[in-house]
Amino acid sequence: MSAFDETRTSRIPFWNDPRTRSIAVQLIMVVALAAVGYELYVNASANLAKLGKTFGFDFWDKSAGFDISQSLIPYTSSSSYGTAIIVGFLNTLLIAGFGILFATVIGFTVGIMRLSKNWLISRIATVYVETIRNIPLLLQIFIWYGAVLKPLPGPKQAINVGGFYLSNRGLNMPSPIFEGAAWMGLVGLAGGIVGAILLRRWARARQLATGEAFPYISVGLALVVFTPFLGLVLAGWPVAWEVPVMGAFQLSGGVTVNPEFIALLIALSVYTASFIAEIVRAGIQAVSHGQTEAAGALGLRQTLITRLVTIPQAMRIIIPPLASQYLNLTKNSSLAVAIAYPDLVAMGGTVLNQTGKAIEIVLIWMIVYLTLSLLTSSFMNWYNSRMKLVER
Amino acid sequence: MEHSVAYVRTEDAPILKPPANLVGVRGWVMANLFPNWSNSILTVVAALFTYWVLSNVLGWAIFRATWTGESRDACIVEGAGACWPFVQAKFAQWIYGFYPIDQRWRVNVCFFVGAAALIPLLMPSLPYKKWNALFLLFAFPLLALILLTGGHFSFGFGAFISFVVQFLAIVAAFLPLTVFGIENGIKSAKPGLILVALGLVLRVLSYAFDIPLPAILDGVSTTYLIALLLMLAGGAWGLLQVLGAGPQASRPVLRAWLSGGVALLLVAILLKWDFGLEYVETSQWGGLLVTLVVAITGIVFSLPVGILLALGRRSNMPIVKYFSIGFIEIWRGVPLITVLFMASYMLPLFLPPGTNFDKLTRVLIGIALFSSAYMAEVVRGGLQAIPKGQIEAAQALGLPYWSTMNLIVLPQALRIVIPGIVNSFISLFKDTTLVTVVGLYDLMGIVIAGFADAKWASSQTAPTGYFTAALLFWVFCFGMSRYSQYVERRLNTGHKR
């Protein structure tokens, strides 16, 4: 064998040897990349020098001098550029979080509606999906903002539903004020969560031992929902509501949600939901009919077949694309800049315009979004390896 | 044995009609709309909802709409619906942007040629797919570029010709290698290769050092002349060797070499040629024209680059592989809007001082890079679907890497990913709306810009514009998604077992 190898290798000219070739190709690539990188570096430093600019993040601590319409942390126009960017980042997380929540709810509902045996219901779901996902998201954001929310009446004639005021300035709603022993509510919540976990453990152990099932999901949920109230009641209900009040020109008090936030939230969740609906439909349809028939042959009821056989297998297929839709939603929230909702990109853009630090701002954007997408993909890898079917 | 027993039938029982509630329209309605109580309630609620939506939309868009008028006065009637005269007045602008009115025929020609070349490509039963695709990928973009901008580009024509001649000479010196194989080829090409190498070294040296030689021709440096002669001699030697191999072996190689050279020269001449077309700046383009230019440039550029990146990602060479992964994941990880900001604010900083592109070109560069990364993932999906046995069989037959890819893997993989390519074109088409944010007027951007026209200011102007824009995008995207589903079904039948 080795003698054969020797004669073979001695006859292969070096330019036909795959190893030489691969090293040569990679060498050429490294040299080309280095040359391009060097060229870009030289150009950038020449251009920056010509413009009298330098590279660096020294702008981070300088005073920003502009106001932001929505902020989760204390911010004034004298805060630093860095604070402004952090405010933008938090706003991105806020819109992404709410968007994911609503998109999931709408998407699962529509996806299940598409599979309904009721012809009208499944048709409505189909029309929804085919309409929404074939219209650009940015156009939908403009439609919600410019054609739905902006034509609403002004604050004086705001639409009032039970303390909620909807006007072209956004949504004003009552906000709770916690005082005194309100921490009892938190204690109740923690107790409820711990109780639900213990309940699940007990129910599983009992089912393994005796075969008797216990509806631990609904009872556990009830525990988590009701114990905080119990805690607050025990503390003597230390909660007051601050209700929006009509002033001379505008509503004050309570929580104000900007129209930009509402438009972006509706558009993002409605748009992403149309994709989630397709994922859910495909996931449920991918569970083979043999599975449900086998479950039926074992004597399981329809609800149990759905809960124990269809959904767990469908989720295995649904979750990876669902996670990438969540990531898409987060990235798409950057369209906020078009209607001036202060998210990371919009804040970065403002800072870029004021300081001219193009490279630095683009770097910040890339690092933030790449981190988010790396987190998502590592979650997906973890989930896939956990849920992978163990085959022989 | 008499059949006198009363209860034995002597004839078939008459065939009864099925119960009325199981067949026909009624049976369908009962089964699909009112199978039980809860579903019946759902149906009624859904029917009311559908009626509410339809009556509102149709009432607004058709029954209460304003159909004729010259200005906003027609549309500010109390309770009026959509303001269609606004759309009529602005429609040409939505298609052409601010393109000069007397030059719009150029855009029309591009639209027409593009459609005439694209439609036969999309119909699977028609022949000449390869030539059709080549026309769309190479000739059509050139035609569109010259027609839309006006051509007559200013670039150093002499320098370009000299570059092409030197390039062709260098390639010619290497031609014997393709005819005789590497080992024998090097032997026969050696004098030519040495001459070319000498010429190249001389060129490089003349850049680095000032070589004092007396001038022979006016305005041309002597070193350049000597280097050019050396290369030409090397190329001529290579050509002679190839010709010596006989027409059978040399014809395909010579044909490829010649057509490559002629194509390069032809492109340069066409770009330089003064067709007498008025120059139209890209800032005057807009509307559907910009939307299509951005989307089509993105897809045409992303196909070859995406294929290379996908192959690179599956390569065994670590540097190639990790470069591809890094490139793909960076572009896919960031939102398009940051890419567009990068293209319009950061890209100029990285260009050599003094050079600058117009805004549309910068955006096109950004979009092309961005969509290449997505296309790479689409193509990779197709590559992964090809069984390993195909590659192994090709290797067993002794095919080298690129032949394996070109003849075995890519033809199969690219067929599978046609639906994926159409889908990524749909998302790219929708994403072109984002160029509005960096100040270009695509279809959506120009519709919105029209709202500011005081002549048409009414409460119904914006809804009508949004509605029309949404409808236009919907028609394009829905049509394409139907096409992709059709191809998918067609491909499926072939692979079903």
Side-chain angles (χ1 to χ4, degrees), chain B residues 299-327:
Chain B
I299 212 80
V300 166
F301 183 87
S302 72
L303 258 178
V305 180
I307 291 174
L308 284 181
L309 282 172
L311 290 175
R313 189 164 186 169
R314 286 165 60 83
S315 161
N316 292 328
M317 300 180 242
I319 292 177
V320 176
K321 182 177 172 183
Y322 287 108
F323 170 77
S324 305
I325 292 181
F327 186 92

PDB file of all heavy atoms in Angstrom, chain B residues 299-327:
ATOM      1  N   ILE B 299     -30.505  41.328  -7.728  1.00  0.00           N
ATOM      2  CA  ILE B 299     -30.630  39.893  -7.990  1.00  0.00           C
ATOM      3  C   ILE B 299     -29.601  39.450  -9.018  1.00  0.00           C
ATOM      4  O   ILE B 299     -28.991  38.389  -8.888  1.00  0.00           O
ATOM      5  CB  ILE B 299     -32.076  39.556  -8.420  1.00  0.00           C
ATOM      6  CG1 ILE B 299     -32.440  38.159  -7.959  1.00  0.00           C
ATOM      7  CG2 ILE B 299     -32.292  39.646  -9.902  1.00  0.00           C
ATOM      8  CD1 ILE B 299     -32.817  38.089  -6.548  1.00  0.00           C
ATOM      9  N   VAL B 300     -29.340  40.277 -10.052  1.00  0.00           N
ATOM     10  CA  VAL B 300     -28.379  39.891 -11.085  1.00  0.00           C
ATOM     11  C   VAL B 300     -26.977  39.786 -10.494  1.00  0.00           C
ATOM     12  O   VAL B 300     -26.233  38.863 -10.771  1.00  0.00           O
ATOM     13  CB  VAL B 300     -28.398  40.902 -12.252  1.00  0.00           C
ATOM     14  CG1 VAL B 300     -27.193  40.726 -13.143  1.00  0.00           C
ATOM     15  CG2 VAL B 300     -29.662  40.724 -13.062  1.00  0.00           C
ATOM     16  N   PHE B 301     -26.635  40.734  -9.601  1.00  0.00           N
ATOM     17  CA  PHE B 301     -25.315  40.696  -8.980  1.00  0.00           C
ATOM     18  C   PHE B 301     -25.234  39.553  -7.984  1.00  0.00           C
ATOM     19  O   PHE B 301     -24.210  38.887  -7.871  1.00  0.00           O
ATOM     20  CB  PHE B 301     -25.049  42.029  -8.287  1.00  0.00           C
ATOM     21  CG  PHE B 301     -23.688  42.122  -7.675  1.00  0.00           C
ATOM     22  CD1 PHE B 301     -22.616  42.544  -8.419  1.00  0.00           C
ATOM     23  CD2 PHE B 301     -23.496  41.788  -6.351  1.00  0.00           C
ATOM     24  CE1 PHE B 301     -21.361  42.617  -7.860  1.00  0.00           C
ATOM     25  CE2 PHE B 301     -22.241  41.859  -5.780  1.00  0.00           C
ATOM     26  CZ  PHE B 301     -21.172  42.283  -6.549  1.00  0.00           C
ATOM     27  N   SER B 302     -26.326  39.328  -7.243  1.00  0.00           N
ATOM     28  CA  SER B 302     -26.245  38.389  -6.135  1.00  0.00           C
ATOM     29  C   SER B 302     -26.173  36.944  -6.614  1.00  0.00           C
ATOM     30  O   SER B 302     -25.658  36.104  -5.896  1.00  0.00           O
ATOM     31  CB  SER B 302     -27.434  38.561  -5.204  1.00  0.00           C
ATOM     32  OG  SER B 302     -28.598  38.081  -5.810  1.00  0.00           O
ATOM     33  N   LEU B 303     -26.660  36.649  -7.820  1.00  0.00           N
ATOM     34  CA  LEU B 303     -26.636  35.253  -8.263  1.00  0.00           C
ATOM     35  C   LEU B 303     -25.219  34.693  -8.352  1.00  0.00           C
ATOM     36  O   LEU B 303     -24.905  33.735  -7.651  1.00  0.00           O
ATOM     37  CB  LEU B 303     -27.357  35.116  -9.597  1.00  0.00           C
ATOM     38  CG  LEU B 303     -28.758  34.543  -9.510  1.00  0.00           C
ATOM     39  CD1 LEU B 303     -29.394  34.509 -10.871  1.00  0.00           C
ATOM     40  CD2 LEU B 303     -28.732  33.155  -8.917  1.00  0.00           C
ATOM     41  N   PRO B 304     -24.328  35.283  -9.198  1.00  0.00           N
ATOM     42  CA  PRO B 304     -22.976  34.715  -9.254  1.00  0.00           C
ATOM     43  C   PRO B 304     -22.240  34.798  -7.923  1.00  0.00           C
ATOM     44  O   PRO B 304     -21.615  33.824  -7.499  1.00  0.00           O
ATOM     45  CB  PRO B 304     -22.285  35.550 -10.332  1.00  0.00           C
ATOM     46  CG  PRO B 304     -23.119  36.749 -10.526  1.00  0.00           C
ATOM     47  CD  PRO B 304     -24.512  36.395 -10.143  1.00  0.00           C
ATOM     48  N   VAL B 305     -22.315  35.953  -7.249  1.00  0.00           N
ATOM     49  CA  VAL B 305     -21.586  36.093  -5.985  1.00  0.00           C
ATOM     50  C   VAL B 305     -22.140  35.113  -4.952  1.00  0.00           C
ATOM     51  O   VAL B 305     -21.391  34.488  -4.198  1.00  0.00           O
ATOM     52  CB  VAL B 305     -21.671  37.544  -5.478  1.00  0.00           C
ATOM     53  CG1 VAL B 305     -20.916  37.688  -4.186  1.00  0.00           C
ATOM     54  CG2 VAL B 305     -21.104  38.475  -6.510  1.00  0.00           C
ATOM     55  N   GLY B 306     -23.471  34.980  -4.936  1.00  0.00           N
ATOM     56  CA  GLY B 306     -24.080  34.061  -3.981  1.00  0.00           C
ATOM     57  C   GLY B 306     -23.641  32.630  -4.224  1.00  0.00           C
ATOM     58  O   GLY B 306     -23.360  31.891  -3.279  1.00  0.00           O
ATOM     59  N   ILE B 307     -23.555  32.233  -5.496  1.00  0.00           N
ATOM     60  CA  ILE B 307     -23.118  30.867  -5.800  1.00  0.00           C
ATOM     61  C   ILE B 307     -21.695  30.651  -5.311  1.00  0.00           C
ATOM     62  O   ILE B 307     -21.376  29.655  -4.655  1.00  0.00           O
ATOM     63  CB  ILE B 307     -23.219  30.591  -7.314  1.00  0.00           C
ATOM     64  CG1 ILE B 307     -24.691  30.550  -7.730  1.00  0.00           C
ATOM     65  CG2 ILE B 307     -22.542  29.294  -7.668  1.00  0.00           C
ATOM     66  CD1 ILE B 307     -24.895  30.437  -9.216  1.00  0.00           C
ATOM     67  N   LEU B 308     -20.815  31.652  -5.587  1.00  0.00           N
ATOM     68  CA  LEU B 308     -19.417  31.523  -5.136  1.00  0.00           C
ATOM     69  C   LEU B 308     -19.358  31.430  -3.615  1.00  0.00           C
ATOM     70  O   LEU B 308     -18.628  30.596  -3.056  1.00  0.00           O
ATOM     71  CB  LEU B 308     -18.592  32.719  -5.620  1.00  0.00           C
ATOM     72  CG  LEU B 308     -18.209  32.681  -7.093  1.00  0.00           C
ATOM     73  CD1 LEU B 308     -17.381  33.901  -7.451  1.00  0.00           C
ATOM     74  CD2 LEU B 308     -17.426  31.414  -7.395  1.00  0.00           C
ATOM     75  N   LEU B 309     -20.123  32.281  -2.917  1.00  0.00           N
ATOM     76  CA  LEU B 309     -20.084  32.264  -1.458  1.00  0.00           C
ATOM     77  C   LEU B 309     -20.606  30.937  -0.920  1.00  0.00           C
ATOM     78  O   LEU B 309     -20.063  30.393   0.047  1.00  0.00           O
ATOM     79  CB  LEU B 309     -20.926  33.411  -0.903  1.00  0.00           C
ATOM     80  CG  LEU B 309     -20.297  34.790  -0.953  1.00  0.00           C
ATOM     81  CD1 LEU B 309     -21.305  35.838  -0.548  1.00  0.00           C
ATOM     82  CD2 LEU B 309     -19.100  34.842  -0.009  1.00  0.00           C
ATOM     83  N   ALA B 310     -21.660  30.410  -1.555  1.00  0.00           N
ATOM     84  CA  ALA B 310     -22.222  29.146  -1.085  1.00  0.00           C
ATOM     85  C   ALA B 310     -21.208  28.022  -1.273  1.00  0.00           C
ATOM     86  O   ALA B 310     -21.011  27.189  -0.378  1.00  0.00           O
ATOM     87  CB  ALA B 310     -23.511  28.841  -1.829  1.00  0.00           C
ATOM     88  N   LEU B 311     -20.529  28.008  -2.427  1.00  0.00           N
ATOM     89  CA  LEU B 311     -19.493  26.996  -2.642  1.00  0.00           C
ATOM     90  C   LEU B 311     -18.372  27.191  -1.631  1.00  0.00           C
ATOM     91  O   LEU B 311     -17.837  26.230  -1.081  1.00  0.00           O
ATOM     92  CB  LEU B 311     -18.950  27.082  -4.072  1.00  0.00           C
ATOM     93  CG  LEU B 311     -19.905  26.637  -5.172  1.00  0.00           C
ATOM     94  CD1 LEU B 311     -19.288  26.889  -6.537  1.00  0.00           C
ATOM     95  CD2 LEU B 311     -20.238  25.170  -5.020  1.00  0.00           C
ATOM     96  N   GLY B 312     -18.004  28.463  -1.386  1.00  0.00           N
ATOM     97  CA  GLY B 312     -16.943  28.745  -0.439  1.00  0.00           C
ATOM     98  C   GLY B 312     -17.295  28.273   0.959  1.00  0.00           C
ATOM     99  O   GLY B 312     -16.454  27.746   1.677  1.00  0.00           O
ATOM    100  N   ARG B 313     -18.571  28.421   1.332  1.00  0.00           N
ATOM    101  CA  ARG B 313     -18.975  28.027   2.677  1.00  0.00           C
ATOM    102  C   ARG B 313     -18.867  26.520   2.859  1.00  0.00           C
ATOM    103  O   ARG B 313     -18.704  26.027   3.972  1.00  0.00           O
ATOM    104  CB  ARG B 313     -20.399  28.498   2.930  1.00  0.00           C
ATOM    105  CG  ARG B 313     -20.798  28.330   4.357  1.00  0.00           C
ATOM    106  CD  ARG B 313     -22.011  29.111   4.734  1.00  0.00           C
ATOM    107  NE  ARG B 313     -22.181  28.942   6.177  1.00  0.00           N
ATOM    108  CZ  ARG B 313     -23.006  29.623   6.901  1.00  0.00           C
ATOM    109  NH1 ARG B 313     -23.766  30.520   6.376  1.00  0.00           N
ATOM    110  NH2 ARG B 313     -23.097  29.406   8.209  1.00  0.00           N
ATOM    111  N   ARG B 314     -18.994  25.775   1.760  1.00  0.00           N
ATOM    112  CA  ARG B 314     -18.896  24.316   1.860  1.00  0.00           C
ATOM    113  C   ARG B 314     -17.503  23.817   1.497  1.00  0.00           C
ATOM    114  O   ARG B 314     -17.299  22.609   1.345  1.00  0.00           O
ATOM    115  CB  ARG B 314     -19.928  23.680   0.947  1.00  0.00           C
ATOM    116  CG  ARG B 314     -21.344  23.794   1.487  1.00  0.00           C
ATOM    117  CD  ARG B 314     -22.354  23.486   0.416  1.00  0.00           C
ATOM    118  NE  ARG B 314     -22.211  22.147  -0.132  1.00  0.00           N
ATOM    119  CZ  ARG B 314     -22.728  21.069   0.431  1.00  0.00           C
ATOM    120  NH1 ARG B 314     -23.400  21.179   1.546  1.00  0.00           N
ATOM    121  NH2 ARG B 314     -22.575  19.893  -0.116  1.00  0.00           N
ATOM    122  N   SER B 315     -16.554  24.747   1.342  1.00  0.00           N
ATOM    123  CA  SER B 315     -15.218  24.347   0.917  1.00  0.00           C
ATOM    124  C   SER B 315     -14.451  23.684   2.066  1.00  0.00           C
ATOM    125  O   SER B 315     -14.776  23.849   3.230  1.00  0.00           O
ATOM    126  CB  SER B 315     -14.466  25.576   0.422  1.00  0.00           C
ATOM    127  OG  SER B 315     -13.089  25.327   0.406  1.00  0.00           O
ATOM    128  N   ASN B 316     -13.423  22.905   1.703  1.00  0.00           N
ATOM    129  CA  ASN B 316     -12.580  22.289   2.730  1.00  0.00           C
ATOM    130  C   ASN B 316     -11.472  23.223   3.177  1.00  0.00           C
ATOM    131  O   ASN B 316     -10.796  22.953   4.159  1.00  0.00           O
ATOM    132  CB  ASN B 316     -11.933  21.014   2.174  1.00  0.00           C
ATOM    133  CG  ASN B 316     -12.970  19.955   1.949  1.00  0.00           C
ATOM    134  OD1 ASN B 316     -13.961  19.887   2.681  1.00  0.00           O
ATOM    135  ND2 ASN B 316     -12.772  19.150   0.927  1.00  0.00           N
ATOM    136  N   MET B 317     -11.256  24.305   2.427  1.00  0.00           N
ATOM    137  CA  MET B 317     -10.158  25.209   2.765  1.00  0.00           C
ATOM    138  C   MET B 317     -10.612  26.151   3.865  1.00  0.00           C
ATOM    139  O   MET B 317     -11.576  26.897   3.676  1.00  0.00           O
ATOM    140  CB  MET B 317      -9.750  26.013   1.533  1.00  0.00           C
ATOM    141  CG  MET B 317      -9.282  25.154   0.403  1.00  0.00           C
ATOM    142  SD  MET B 317      -8.822  26.155  -1.003  1.00  0.00           S
ATOM    143  CE  MET B 317      -9.964  25.607  -2.224  1.00  0.00           C
ATOM    144  N   PRO B 318      -9.961  26.103   5.030  1.00  0.00           N
ATOM    145  CA  PRO B 318     -10.473  26.868   6.178  1.00  0.00           C
ATOM    146  C   PRO B 318     -10.583  28.362   5.913  1.00  0.00           C
ATOM    147  O   PRO B 318     -11.582  28.972   6.302  1.00  0.00           O
ATOM    148  CB  PRO B 318      -9.461  26.574   7.291  1.00  0.00           C
ATOM    149  CG  PRO B 318      -8.305  25.927   6.628  1.00  0.00           C
ATOM    150  CD  PRO B 318      -8.802  25.298   5.384  1.00  0.00           C
ATOM    151  N   ILE B 319      -9.606  28.963   5.220  1.00  0.00           N
ATOM    152  CA  ILE B 319      -9.657  30.420   5.055  1.00  0.00           C
ATOM    153  C   ILE B 319     -10.825  30.799   4.158  1.00  0.00           C
ATOM    154  O   ILE B 319     -11.606  31.706   4.475  1.00  0.00           O
ATOM    155  CB  ILE B 319      -8.319  30.934   4.498  1.00  0.00           C
ATOM    156  CG1 ILE B 319      -7.249  30.755   5.572  1.00  0.00           C
ATOM    157  CG2 ILE B 319      -8.428  32.388   4.088  1.00  0.00           C
ATOM    158  CD1 ILE B 319      -5.878  31.146   5.129  1.00  0.00           C
ATOM    159  N   VAL B 320     -10.980  30.068   3.052  1.00  0.00           N
ATOM    160  CA  VAL B 320     -12.106  30.339   2.153  1.00  0.00           C
ATOM    161  C   VAL B 320     -13.420  30.148   2.895  1.00  0.00           C
ATOM    162  O   VAL B 320     -14.339  30.969   2.827  1.00  0.00           O
ATOM    163  CB  VAL B 320     -12.026  29.398   0.937  1.00  0.00           C
ATOM    164  CG1 VAL B 320     -13.228  29.601   0.040  1.00  0.00           C
ATOM    165  CG2 VAL B 320     -10.753  29.624   0.172  1.00  0.00           C
ATOM    166  N   LYS B 321     -13.484  29.058   3.662  1.00  0.00           N
ATOM    167  CA  LYS B 321     -14.725  28.721   4.358  1.00  0.00           C
ATOM    168  C   LYS B 321     -15.091  29.802   5.375  1.00  0.00           C
ATOM    169  O   LYS B 321     -16.213  30.314   5.375  1.00  0.00           O
ATOM    170  CB  LYS B 321     -14.540  27.375   5.054  1.00  0.00           C
ATOM    171  CG  LYS B 321     -15.777  26.895   5.769  1.00  0.00           C
ATOM    172  CD  LYS B 321     -15.505  25.527   6.370  1.00  0.00           C
ATOM    173  CE  LYS B 321     -16.654  25.121   7.256  1.00  0.00           C
ATOM    174  NZ  LYS B 321     -16.382  23.847   7.906  1.00  0.00           N
ATOM    175  N   TYR B 322     -14.116  30.180   6.225  1.00  0.00           N
ATOM    176  CA  TYR B 322     -14.463  31.127   7.289  1.00  0.00           C
ATOM    177  C   TYR B 322     -14.683  32.533   6.732  1.00  0.00           C
ATOM    178  O   TYR B 322     -15.493  33.284   7.263  1.00  0.00           O
ATOM    179  CB  TYR B 322     -13.434  31.083   8.414  1.00  0.00           C
ATOM    180  CG  TYR B 322     -13.591  29.816   9.198  1.00  0.00           C
ATOM    181  CD1 TYR B 322     -12.668  28.786   9.123  1.00  0.00           C
ATOM    182  CD2 TYR B 322     -14.745  29.606   9.957  1.00  0.00           C
ATOM    183  CE1 TYR B 322     -12.858  27.596   9.793  1.00  0.00           C
ATOM    184  CE2 TYR B 322     -14.947  28.422  10.624  1.00  0.00           C
ATOM    185  CZ  TYR B 322     -13.999  27.416  10.551  1.00  0.00           C
ATOM    186  OH  TYR B 322     -14.224  26.248  11.202  1.00  0.00           O
ATOM    187  N   PHE B 323     -13.985  32.857   5.635  1.00  0.00           N
ATOM    188  CA  PHE B 323     -14.283  34.146   5.004  1.00  0.00           C
ATOM    189  C   PHE B 323     -15.726  34.164   4.522  1.00  0.00           C
ATOM    190  O   PHE B 323     -16.468  35.121   4.762  1.00  0.00           O
ATOM    191  CB  PHE B 323     -13.334  34.406   3.819  1.00  0.00           C
ATOM    192  CG  PHE B 323     -13.743  35.590   3.003  1.00  0.00           C
ATOM    193  CD1 PHE B 323     -13.493  36.870   3.468  1.00  0.00           C
ATOM    194  CD2 PHE B 323     -14.410  35.435   1.800  1.00  0.00           C
ATOM    195  CE1 PHE B 323     -13.894  37.970   2.732  1.00  0.00           C
ATOM    196  CE2 PHE B 323     -14.813  36.532   1.062  1.00  0.00           C
ATOM    197  CZ  PHE B 323     -14.549  37.801   1.530  1.00  0.00           C
ATOM    198  N   SER B 324     -16.156  33.064   3.863  1.00  0.00           N
ATOM    199  CA  SER B 324     -17.527  33.021   3.354  1.00  0.00           C
ATOM    200  C   SER B 324     -18.529  33.103   4.495  1.00  0.00           C
ATOM    201  O   SER B 324     -19.504  33.855   4.433  1.00  0.00           O
ATOM    202  CB  SER B 324     -17.765  31.739   2.561  1.00  0.00           C
ATOM    203  OG  SER B 324     -16.814  31.619   1.546  1.00  0.00           O
ATOM    204  N   ILE B 325     -18.277  32.301   5.556  1.00  0.00           N
ATOM    205  CA  ILE B 325     -19.207  32.323   6.690  1.00  0.00           C
ATOM    206  C   ILE B 325     -19.289  33.723   7.275  1.00  0.00           C
ATOM    207  O   ILE B 325     -20.377  34.260   7.511  1.00  0.00           O
ATOM    208  CB  ILE B 325     -18.769  31.304   7.768  1.00  0.00           C
ATOM    209  CG1 ILE B 325     -18.928  29.891   7.237  1.00  0.00           C
ATOM    210  CG2 ILE B 325     -19.601  31.487   9.031  1.00  0.00           C
ATOM    211  CD1 ILE B 325     -18.535  28.827   8.238  1.00  0.00           C
ATOM    212  N   GLY B 326     -18.120  34.331   7.475  1.00  0.00           N
ATOM    213  CA  GLY B 326     -18.103  35.665   8.069  1.00  0.00           C
ATOM    214  C   GLY B 326     -18.860  36.666   7.211  1.00  0.00           C
ATOM    215  O   GLY B 326     -19.709  37.408   7.696  1.00  0.00           O
ATOM    216  N   PHE B 327     -18.577  36.652   5.911  1.00  0.00           N
ATOM    217  CA  PHE B 327     -19.250  37.580   4.991  1.00  0.00           C
ATOM    218  C   PHE B 327     -20.765  37.392   5.052  1.00  0.00           C
ATOM    219  O   PHE B 327     -21.529  38.343   5.239  1.00  0.00           O
ATOM    220  CB  PHE B 327     -18.733  37.324   3.568  1.00  0.00           C
ATOM    221  CG  PHE B 327     -19.243  38.305   2.558  1.00  0.00           C
ATOM    222  CD1 PHE B 327     -18.523  39.446   2.264  1.00  0.00           C
ATOM    223  CD2 PHE B 327     -20.437  38.086   1.901  1.00  0.00           C
ATOM    224  CE1 PHE B 327     -18.986  40.351   1.328  1.00  0.00           C
ATOM    225  CE2 PHE B 327     -20.905  38.987   0.967  1.00  0.00           C
ATOM    226  CZ  PHE B 327     -20.181  40.116   0.688  1.00  0.00           C
TER     227      PHE B 327
END
